[in-house]
Amino acid sequence: ADVFEPARALANAADAQRLRGDLDEALKLYDFALESGHSNELAWCGKGQVALEKGRFAEAASCYAEAVGATPTHAVAWTNLGVAFARVGKGDIGVLREAVMAFEEAADLDQAEPAPLNNLGLLLGDLKSHEAAVDAFQRALDRAEFVPARERADLHTNLGVELVELDDLAGALGEFQKAIEVDPSHQGAAANVIAMRSALSGGEAAS
């Protein structure tokens, strides 16, 4: 414990530097923490976040892989590992499968947090797996009761977008309306509702 505490303190100091925007100084402190020789998921997570913010996605994936290796129950590290894999794996189905598995692992580890499932839904939507994306967003909404209104509205909007892809315009309209009910200031939600109403009325007219 005596060896670990200085490493944790260094990682916390690095976090403070990163949040102030000094990524290079933060990186030095994370490296000092890791050089203590103790397995430290905080420092690996911090290095991964710096790499994400710098757009170095392969490096971020490597850092988060070290983090979950050190602490396999760290749900946020699994989520960010999935984010990094999703960014680095464009066009590589093997890496994208790793991203899917990372998001699922995070969702299993923290069953009160919708973020892993939201990220999973976004990835599946990008992969044109729209039914699976709908399932992911619905699962996210099932655990989103206590998250901020803006995040719940985003989930309803994301679900609505996938329902549009499946030609369920009425279902999509319902989700976009729920987004407005949850967060009346939600950007784009009103426009989505207008677009869906127009599409539905046009379809009725055509029939």
Side-chain angles (χ1 to χ4, degrees):
D2 291 338
V3 175
F4 182 68
E5 287 308 320
R8 186 170 290 272
L10 282 166
N12 289 337
D15 285 343
Q17 292 291 338
R18 177 173 57 79
L19 291 171
R20 281 196 286 268
D22 192 344
L23 300 184
D24 293 331
E25 184 62 28
L27 201 55
K28 290 178 188 176
L29 291 169
Y30 290 131
D31 283 334
F32 285 145
L34 292 168
E35 286 166 9
S36 73
H38 197 103
S39 180
N40 185 347
E41 83 285 358
L42 295 179
W44 282 118
C45 284
K47 282 195 72 170
Q49 188 60 38
V50 169
L52 280 180
E53 292 180 28
K54 286 178 172 282
R56 302 201 297 245
F57 302 119
E59 181 183 334
S62 177
C63 291
Y64 285 117
E66 292 282 356
V68 300
T71 307
T73 57
H74 197 302
V76 173
W78 279 106
T79 296
N80 289 337
L81 178 60
V83 170
F85 275 145
R87 297 298 297 270
V88 81
K90 296 291 187 184
D92 186 332
I93 196 65
V95 176
L96 293 175
R97 283 199 190 101
E98 294 285 342
V100 168
M101 290 193 304
F103 290 140
E104 289 283 13
E105 182 69 20
D108 288 342
L109 286 168
D110 186 352
Q111 298 188 8
E113 173 57 61
L117 293 169
N118 183 50
N119 280 292
L120 176 60
L122 292 170
L123 175 58
L124 292 168
D126 286 345
L127 294 173
K128 310 302 182 187
S129 297
H130 299 300
E131 290 183 358
V134 165
D135 177 69
F137 289 130
Q138 288 173 333
R139 289 162 59 200
L141 280 163
D142 286 343
R143 54 174 73 178
E145 181 179 358
F146 299 110
V147 303
R150 176 57 58 91
E151 292 180 29
R152 286 205 311 281
D154 284 342
L155 288 170
H156 284 296
T157 299
N158 292 342
L159 176 54
V161 168
E162 292 305 312
L163 290 172
V164 170
E165 294 290 346
L166 294 172
D167 292 324
D168 182 359
L169 301 188
L173 174 60
E175 294 303 323
F176 296 144
Q177 288 173 325
K178 288 175 185 175
I180 293 176
E181 290 168 10
V182 169
D183 180 8
S185 68
H186 188 272
Q187 186 175 8
N192 288 333
V193 167
I194 292 169
M196 285 305 96
R197 284 178 175 159
S198 175
L200 285 165
S201 63
E204 290 167 4
S207 62

